[in-house]
């Protein structure tokens, strides 16, 4: 349920910082096509509420704040029936209504250009066709055609699981098999995450420097904070931890569990607490 009303911020929307973007990407598992502020009103509510909004695949993710790493609500628009424009209000804000099988949702952008862009991108990904709107600017049309091709490829990859592997990811890694403490970050970024968020855990699994294998970064307190990094080599269907005496395990989850067990629980997988796990929806 949408709550209350909040004034839309006046600043020009900017992309979320890298770490926030990566966390949103990890949680959603979907490509980002468009982002910015939108005011939202459900059919059962009287007032609009402003959200930082992301269009990922055919899902709208709504964040309470531009810098929030996790969404507060989301809406699957894949079954969109129509998107109807509403006459601008006294503030010249662009409004349009999304008609969905389970009801309607009214969206309001800061100005007409933003409104046309949001409506155009939503129609592009749900109808798999760039809308024939003569008022769209050449740059907007070009980006919509680019997004259309990306969305078509995403759909094809979902139909062919073997083709959906990320070629830039280490071998044998899919979103479903990676532990929750895996983050696609560099060595330095992993260190910063552990230093800034000690309450979230002290062990991160990340891609190795060669992008073909993995690495474990840990930070634990002795007399002073201690940082260590361990290579994890993918070998066939197994994973080898490069220690003085190598350890071979059948899965990445077993690799993480090995570190936790060997330290008697002193090492804890790094997981940012998120309400998103509850998957709230409109």
């Amino acid at each position: 349920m949408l709550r209350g009303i909040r004034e839309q911020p006046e600043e020009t929307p900017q992309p979320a910082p890298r770490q926030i973007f990566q966390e949103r990407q990890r949680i959603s598992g979907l490509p980002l096509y468009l982002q910015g502020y939108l005011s939202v009103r459900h059919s059962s509510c009287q007032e609009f509420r402003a959200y930082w909004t992301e269009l990922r695949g055919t899902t709208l993710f709504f964040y309470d704040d531009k810098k929030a790493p996790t969404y507060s609500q989301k809406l699957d628009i894949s079954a969109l029936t129509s998107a109807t424009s509403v006459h601008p209000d006294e503030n010249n804000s662009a409004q349009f209504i999304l008609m969905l099988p389970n009801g309607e949702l009214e969206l309001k952008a800061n100005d007409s250009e933003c409104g046309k862009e949001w409506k155009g991108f939503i129609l592009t990904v749900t109808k798999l066709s760039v809308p024939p709107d003569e008022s769209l600017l050449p740059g907007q049309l070009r980006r919509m055609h680019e997004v259309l091709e990306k969305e078509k490829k995403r759909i094809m990859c979902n139909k062919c699981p073997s083709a959906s592997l990320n070629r830039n990811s280490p071998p044998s890694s899919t979103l479903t098999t990676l532990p929750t403490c895996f983050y696609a970050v560099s060595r330095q970024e992993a260190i910063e995450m552990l230093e800034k968020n000690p309450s979230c855990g002290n062990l991160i699994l990340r891609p190795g420097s060669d992008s073909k294998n993995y690495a474990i970064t840990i930070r634990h307190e002795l007399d002073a904070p201690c940082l260590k990094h361990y290579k994890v080599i993918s070998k066939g269907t197994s994973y080898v931890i490069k220690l003085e005496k190598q350890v071979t395990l059948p899965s990445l989850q077993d690799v993480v569990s090995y570190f936790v067990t060997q330290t008697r629980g002193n090492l804890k997988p790094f997981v940012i607490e998120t309400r998103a796990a509850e998957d709230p929806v409109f």
Side-chain angles (χ1 to χ4, degrees):
M1 186 68 69
L2 296 176
R3 308 173 295 277
I5 184 171
R6 183 190 299 173
E7 292 296 325
Q8 289 198 25
E10 295 295 328
E11 71 265 22
T12 301
Q14 297 295 327
R18 185 176 180 181
Q19 184 177 334
I20 296 173
F21 172 82
Q22 289 170 337
E23 179 64 8
R24 291 176 179 176
Q25 181 70 34
R26 188 185 72 82
I27 291 172
S28 69
L30 293 168
L32 175 62
Y33 294 149
L34 188 64
Q35 62 182 346
Y37 282 109
L38 281 179
S39 288
V40 184
R41 181 169 66 186
H42 194 268
S43 57
S44 60
C45 299
Q46 293 184 342
E47 304 291 347
F48 279 96
R49 179 178 176 182
Y51 290 93
W52 178 261
T53 308
E54 292 184 342
L55 173 62
R56 291 180 175 272
T58 53
T59 302
L60 289 171
F61 291 87
F62 301 95
Y63 300 84
D64 290 330
D65 182 82
K66 185 172 68 172
K67 295 182 179 180
T70 59
Y71 62 85
S72 60
Q73 304 187 65
K74 70 176 182 178
L75 179 68
D76 180 0
I77 57 172
S78 58
L80 180 73
T81 304
S82 64
T84 306
S85 296
V86 179
H87 291 298
D89 61 14
E90 63 274 11
N91 297 318
N92 200 35
S93 298
Q95 298 177 229
F96 55 100
I97 298 174
L98 302 183
M99 296 299 299
L100 297 157
N102 59 344
E104 64 181 51
L105 189 72
E106 190 170 356
L107 303 176
K108 181 166 64 173
N110 282 332
D111 55 53
S112 60
E113 286 303 319
C114 288
K116 286 189 296 184
E117 190 168 55
W118 274 103
K119 180 182 174 184
F121 272 84
I122 288 172
L123 288 172
T124 295
V125 298
T126 55
K127 305 302 181 184
L128 292 180
S129 176
V130 175
D133 188 342
E134 295 181 356
S135 64
L136 289 170
L137 300 174
Q140 293 173 327
L141 288 170
R142 175 181 56 78
R143 289 170 57 209
M144 287 177 195
H145 280 288
E146 291 174 353
V147 163
L148 176 59
E149 292 307 310
K150 290 179 181 178
E151 182 62 11
K152 286 180 178 178
K153 289 180 181 178
R154 186 183 75 86
I155 293 173
M156 289 301 297
C157 285
N158 287 341
K159 291 180 179 179
C160 305
S162 61
S164 65
L165 295 177
N166 183 347
R167 296 181 182 178
N168 295 321
S169 295
S172 304
S173 66
T174 63
L175 287 174
T176 56
T177 58
L178 290 173
T180 55
C181 61
F182 173 82
Y183 295 86
V185 296
S186 67
R187 176 176 174 143
Q188 184 58 41
E189 288 170 330
I191 292 173
E192 292 176 359
M193 289 169 68
L194 293 175
E195 289 177 341
K196 294 178 180 179
N197 305 278
S199 63
C200 294
N202 52 7
L203 181 154
I204 286 179
L205 175 67
R206 58 180 175 80
S209 56
D210 59 2
S211 297
K212 296 179 182 179
N213 295 290
Y214 294 88
I216 291 279
T217 294
I218 66 172
R219 182 180 188 271
H220 57 97
E221 300 283 345
L222 296 173
D223 295 331
C226 178
L227 285 161
K228 290 186 178 181
H229 309 273
Y230 299 90
K231 291 183 179 180
V232 179
I233 307 300
S234 177
K235 193 172 183 179
T237 58
S238 301
Y239 299 90
V240 179
I241 306 174
K242 303 293 284 186
L243 301 170
E244 185 175 341
K245 184 178 180 181
Q246 293 186 0
V247 176
T248 301
L249 296 165
S251 72
L252 288 172
Q253 186 59 59
D254 288 319
V255 169
V256 173
S257 297
Y258 175 84
F259 280 88
V260 174
T261 302
Q262 291 299 307
T263 60
R264 298 182 180 181
N266 288 323
L267 289 180
K268 295 180 174 57
F270 184 93
V271 179
I272 295 178
E273 293 297 328
T274 171
R275 287 173 294 163
E278 301 173 4
D279 284 340
V281 295
F282 281 112

